[in-house]
Amino acid sequence: MIELSSPAIRATILVVDDNLSNIEVIYEMLTPTYEVLFATSGLEALELTVATHPDLILLDVMMPGLNGYEVCRHLKADIVTQHIPIIFITAVGQTDSEEKGLKLGAIDYIAKPFSPAVVKARIANHLELKRYRDLLADLAWVDGLTGVRNRRQFDDFIERELRTAVRADRPLSLIMLDIDYFKHYNDHYGHLMGDDCLKKVAQTLESSLCRSADMIFRYGGEEFACLLPETNAAGAMAVANRMLDVIQTLNIEHVNSAKKIVTLSIGVCTLIPQQRSKIENLIVPADKALYRAKELGRNRVEFADE
Ligand SMILES: [Mg+2]
């Protein structure tokens, strides 16, 4: 099941300023309450944001090299970082630059010299808002029947994970799973039992995963997908075979299937990403492998052969 963001976890704030004494002042102010990271240039800020995913960014506008506006534009254009709230901190008090920052997608604007109490209060408010937004997004993305992530979230995550994999030059694996003869199951046992079966399968698949980065999604009717970041072919096959086993071990009666219990057909694909890799390079082969698993008699795992 999805873990909803908890206020008990200390939020991480990235402070970006080319002036070290400014950073020191803000660091002193925030470090009792938050994890504070800092960067002294726009480039460093972009790298650190991708690497650490801070909950909020305090961003100086005037910096040599990439200035605050440019950093903001980069972060807002990237699907991985666009949801991180940005507050501009600057000495430039003119309304036109304030407007410029807000138009670029910054959530707030604080002018120097600032009152520490006001800055702290605004940060707390924005973090609270972010928490609610994350919570709503989580709720909207849960599949109502099975409690695992839904298709919409799959579309979102596979895009994000592919981008991350390309950037980090790491493999990304996808497992597609389909319940064998599920239409027959529904016809024989009725739709309520069918729903129960889907729930059990989804939750068993989810609890069979060992790493928090791995994710199960309901892909369609009786079809599930599993994304495994930083996982090579051997690792993905091991997970797929474990899934095949755990579902058999559930021992759910299914008189109209070959084994007389509920089983899965599974297709696996691992992508060594290149700059031009698209999600189709992962989904299409995994889907073909799943189709082959069906053709070859079901209740088995097939690896994509291209
Ligand atoms: Mg500056």
Side-chain angles (χ1 to χ4, degrees):
M1 300 294 257
I2 292 163
E3 277 176 42
L4 302 177
S5 23
S6 143
I9 298 164
R10 269 162 72 95
T12 302
I13 297 180
L14 171 62
V15 182
V16 187
D17 202 309
D18 59 313
N19 182 329
L20 269 176
S21 56
N22 285 348
I23 288 186
E24 259 170 53
V25 171
I26 297 173
Y27 186 85
E28 290 295 316
M29 183 171 88
L30 298 180
T31 197
T33 324
Y34 305 109
E35 298 296 324
V36 185
L37 304 169
F38 60 87
T40 55
S41 75
L43 216 53
E44 201 187 337
L46 291 179
E47 285 169 7
L48 210 54
T49 303
V50 170
T52 63
H53 281 264
D55 295 293
L56 187 142
I57 300 174
L58 291 178
L59 185 55
D60 181 27
V61 170
M62 299 300 213
M63 292 185 291
L66 274 187
N67 68 30
Y69 295 134
E70 290 163 327
V71 171
C72 183
R73 197 177 291 127
H74 271 91
L75 293 176
K76 292 297 165 187
D78 187 333
I79 191 172
V80 180
T81 54
Q82 66 186 186
H83 300 294
I84 302 171
I86 295 174
I87 300 179
F88 277 120
I89 294 202
T90 180
V92 185
Q94 294 130 3
T95 20
D96 61 329
S97 49
E98 187 168 334
E99 192 187 328
K100 186 173 177 188
L102 295 174
K103 273 187 178 158
L104 282 174
I107 202 161
D108 206 349
Y109 209 95
I110 296 169
K112 281 185 275 196
F114 50 74
S115 133
V118 169
V119 173
K120 278 201 260 187
R122 287 202 190 175
I123 288 175
N125 285 344
H126 287 306
L127 286 173
E128 181 78 358
L129 283 173
K130 177 175 187 279
R131 217 150 28 223
Y132 280 118
R133 215 172 48 222
D134 291 350
L135 179 73
L136 279 177
D138 281 348
L139 292 177
W141 288 348
V142 172
D143 174 59
L145 177 65
T146 60
V148 299
R149 296 168 192 272
N150 66 16
R151 173 60 183 269
R152 189 174 136 205
Q153 227 184 0
F154 173 81
D155 295 341
D156 194 31
F157 267 86
I158 191 166
E159 193 76 53
R160 255 193 253 188
E161 291 301 335
L162 180 66
R163 301 267 303 262
T164 306
V166 169
R167 191 149 36 202
D169 195 22
R170 306 285 295 168
L172 174 63
S173 291
L174 170 66
I175 303 178
M176 302 287 272
L177 316 98
D178 189 89
I179 301 178
D180 293 327
Y181 303 108
F182 190 67
K183 192 188 171 303
H184 297 331
Y185 187 94
N186 270 334
D187 290 347
H188 189 267
Y189 296 97
H191 284 274
L192 283 179
M193 289 276 283
D195 285 355
D196 256 5
C197 174
L198 284 172
K199 265 188 245 178
K200 262 185 214 151
V201 169
Q203 283 163 19
T204 305
L205 290 176
E206 178 124 83
S207 54
S208 77
L209 293 175
C210 305
R211 304 182 316 171
S212 62
D214 301 342
M215 284 169 289
I216 290 284
F217 305 84
R218 187 167 178 208
Y219 190 73
E222 70 269 27
E223 201 169 345
F224 297 92
C226 173
L227 265 181
L228 305 165
E230 302 201 11
T231 304
N232 62 19
M237 285 300 281
V239 173
N241 279 303
R242 191 166 70 230
M243 288 173 161
L244 194 74
D245 286 348
V246 291
I247 297 306
Q248 283 199 62
T249 310
L250 280 179
N251 214 21
I252 305 170
E253 185 194 276
H254 186 352
V255 292
N256 289 324
S257 89
K259 287 213 94 177
K260 307 294 173 203
I261 54 170
V262 168
T263 55
L264 299 176
S265 292
I266 303 178
V268 182
C269 180
T270 298
L271 185 71
I272 308 296
Q274 288 155 359
Q275 284 306 325
R276 291 188 179 178
S277 295
K278 296 197 179 79
I279 56 169
E280 288 75 23
N281 302 128
L282 200 50
I283 294 175
V284 173
D287 220 33
K288 277 188 192 160
L290 168 58
Y291 186 75
R292 200 167 62 236
K294 294 267 179 208
E295 294 273 280
L296 292 173
R298 297 176 167 84
N299 186 33
R300 61 189 291 140
V301 180
E302 284 293 312
F303 190 80
D305 52 9
E306 57 241 74

